[in-house]
Amino acid sequence: MNAEERQHQIVALARRQGEVDVAKLAAELTVSAETIRRDLRLLEKHGLLRRTHGGAYPVETAKFETDLAMRTTRGVPEKRRIAAAAVGLLGDAETIFIDEGFTPQLIAEALPTDRPLTIVTASLNTAAWLSTSSPATVLLLGGRVRGRTLATVDHWASGMLAGFVIDLAFVGANGISREVGLTTPDPAVADVKAHAVRAARRRIFVGIHTKFGVRTFCRFAEISDFESLVTDTGLPASEAHRYSRLGPQVIRV
């Protein structure tokens, strides 16, 4: 197996498993750990993987997006803290958009139950949970259901959002960077998110620190569109300050 074939296999394993480990890769591919580290550095340079201590995880691109099941296994404690902090910013909002994805789903589970709320969402999982476990009124956006995220997209969903005026939107992204703003790999998803941003009077980004500095295919919002960015302490304070200079408050929990 030459270097190119080995690197292709590393990316395939990372995308299938959600992450890879240097020691396990070295044993499986019968090369040294240093060779694997060199491969990971090159793959990170090409924007395919992001290195961690002892391994790497896949970067989402126009051709690859993690599914919901994979998202429920990574960074769960951090995502729960983010969700709790985001709900703490609810204020007097009565109509709320909750985005697709696992962290927004955790936000739904953390919402107060002692006040009337109307929740708009494209997420089937979020709508189902709220409908059975919360007194909130739930509006599920119509449209084509994406199997990867179990959320609705296309003109049906965007058209519904265009007719709403929403107090607060909790929005996620596959990538957020100071240079290009908030991005997602799928144009149909980007369109729904963009309509949600336009429909909301207030907007809060929620996402784990690994989303920062990442760019995917479709831009749907600017950082200055948001009043707050809520993430975990894995984002360095110096980098959080750079994002805050673009307008939003950056909250690290």
Side-chain angles (χ1 to χ4, degrees):
M1 182 184 297
N2 62 34
E4 184 176 350
E5 291 171 334
R6 185 177 62 248
Q7 290 156 16
H8 178 79
Q9 188 163 342
I10 290 171
V11 172
L13 285 169
R15 289 177 172 178
R16 185 164 63 248
Q17 299 172 1
E19 58 186 344
V20 288
D21 176 85
V22 169
K24 291 180 180 177
L25 284 174
E28 184 171 343
L29 300 176
T30 60
V31 295
S32 69
E34 183 52 41
T35 296
I36 296 297
R37 293 189 188 97
R38 190 160 54 245
D39 288 337
L40 295 183
R41 284 195 294 269
L42 182 62
L43 291 167
E44 184 176 52
K45 182 179 179 181
H46 290 164
L48 296 171
L49 297 181
R50 219 171 180 187
R51 288 183 296 157
T52 62
H53 180 69
Y57 61 88
V59 170
E60 296 180 301
T61 69
K63 295 182 178 179
F64 169 74
E65 180 184 4
T66 56
D67 60 23
L68 191 58
M70 189 180 294
R71 297 176 196 181
T72 63
T73 64
R74 299 187 69 246
V76 175
E78 293 88 346
K79 291 174 181 178
R80 290 195 181 280
R81 293 199 304 271
I82 291 167
V87 169
L89 302 174
L90 194 62
D92 60 359
E94 296 180 353
T95 55
I96 302 163
F97 172 80
I98 297 181
D99 206 354
E100 64 171 57
F102 182 57
T103 303
Q105 185 177 320
L106 295 176
I107 289 174
E109 296 175 10
L111 288 173
T113 58
D114 59 350
R115 53 190 280 192
L117 296 173
T118 297
I119 310 299
V120 179
T121 185
S123 167
L124 273 64
N125 282 354
T126 294
W129 189 92
L130 287 167
S131 296
T132 57
S133 305
S134 166
T137 299
V138 183
L139 299 180
L140 176 63
L141 300 175
R144 173 174 60 90
V145 178
R146 298 178 73 237
R148 183 164 290 278
T149 59
L150 293 180
T152 55
V153 292
D154 293 338
H155 66 273
W156 301 277
S158 299
M160 287 182 68
L161 281 168
F164 295 148
V165 178
I166 297 171
D167 293 332
L168 174 62
F170 292 113
V171 180
N174 299 76
I176 175 172
S177 73
R178 289 182 284 114
E179 295 78 13
V180 301
L182 283 73
T183 57
T184 191
D186 190 300
V189 175
D191 188 55
V192 173
K193 290 177 183 286
H195 274 82
V197 168
R198 286 196 290 269
R201 295 190 297 109
R202 298 171 54 211
R203 308 155 198 109
I204 295 173
F205 166 79
V206 291
I208 197 167
H209 74 276
T210 55
K211 304 285 188 180
F212 285 76
V214 174
R215 310 177 189 187
T216 59
F217 183 49
C218 301
R219 177 168 52 191
F220 65 86
E222 303 291 341
I223 290 172
S224 58
D225 291 329
F226 292 80
E227 67 174 52
S228 300
L229 312 178
V230 185
T231 188
D232 61 276
T233 53
L235 182 71
S238 58
E239 190 65 7
H241 177 68
R242 294 185 185 99
Y243 279 89
S244 69
R245 293 179 64 182
L246 297 176
Q249 174 189 23
V250 181
I251 299 171
R252 300 159 61 246
V253 294

